Amino acid sequence: MTETEAPGQPAPPAGAAGEAGDAEPTLTGREARPGRRAPRQRVRLMVVGAVLVAAFVYILAEGLGSSLNYFDTVDQALAQKTSLGTSTFRLEGVVVPGTVVRTDSGADFTVAEGGQRVTVRNTGTPPQLFQANLPVVVVGHFASTTSDTFLSNQILVKHSASYIAAHPGRVKAPNGSVR
């Protein structure tokens, strides 16, 4: 056994590096071992990966956040009126009985929810099932940041088979027929 051999280790085969006269190859501090990345490179990859994951999560949260909020209720819209301003959004409420006035350009009516009311001025043809006591979603914007008048160009009547079954007296056409 030579000085460079560890106890319990077999001796290198004849002609192998490490015998007298042969120089054993050494690794310098800048050379990497095969199959391993330098610590700096690993840290750089981890930082880039973390930034990519954070960007993906942010984009996913922003996309889902805006698509999950299909409409604002009357209460929500009135509470956020200054931030909503005159930007277009969907407003949901129940049509207040006695407020529907058909006009040449559409209909004027009031929607309510939780004690709050908003006057809606719609330009366009209201759907056939549109009437008082029905929940509706109107698409449009407030006339100004201080106004409670909502200018709408579309009315969506919320009706489904389960709603009709639960409220058969509410879903009637103006001529009295049940839908």
Side-chain angles (χ1 to χ4, degrees):
M1 180 160 64
T2 65
E3 290 178 17
T4 58
E5 294 176 9
Q9 296 264 339
E19 289 189 9
D22 289 338
E24 191 171 323
T26 60
L27 294 175
T28 64
R30 296 184 62 86
E31 295 174 0
R33 288 182 239 161
R36 292 197 61 189
R37 291 199 160 101
R40 267 188 159 164
Q41 200 173 13
R42 265 187 284 142
V43 169
R44 191 176 302 143
L45 285 173
M46 287 173 34
V47 168
V48 168
V51 168
L52 288 174
V53 167
F56 177 74
V57 168
Y58 174 78
I59 290 170
L60 185 65
E62 284 296 312
L64 287 177
S66 63
S67 67
L68 290 178
N69 188 11
Y70 182 72
F71 56 78
D72 288 325
T73 63
V74 172
D75 288 343
Q76 292 169 336
L78 289 174
Q80 301 170 9
K81 189 170 23 174
T82 55
S83 64
L84 290 170
T86 57
S87 62
T88 300
F89 66 98
R90 293 176 185 96
L91 175 70
E92 188 266 345
V94 175
V95 179
V96 176
T99 63
V100 178
V101 177
R102 304 277 177 168
T103 64
D104 291 338
S105 60
D108 295 344
F109 56 96
T110 301
V111 292
E113 188 256 334
Q116 299 283 339
R117 290 177 169 222
V118 170
T119 301
V120 178
R121 300 210 187 288
N122 177 264
T123 55
T125 306
Q128 245 185 344
L129 291 177
F130 174 73
Q131 63 182 7
N133 283 325
L134 278 182
V136 295
V137 174
V138 288
V139 180
H141 58 86
F142 282 113
S144 70
T145 56
T146 58
S147 174
D148 285 345
T149 300
F150 190 81
L151 304 176
S152 168
N153 58 5
Q154 184 179 15
I155 301 172
L156 305 169
V157 175
K158 291 177 66 176
H159 60 39
S160 66
S162 60
Y163 181 83
I164 293 169
H167 307 285
R170 288 188 183 175
V171 187
K172 291 183 182 175
N175 66 4
S177 64
V178 178
R179 305 274 178 207

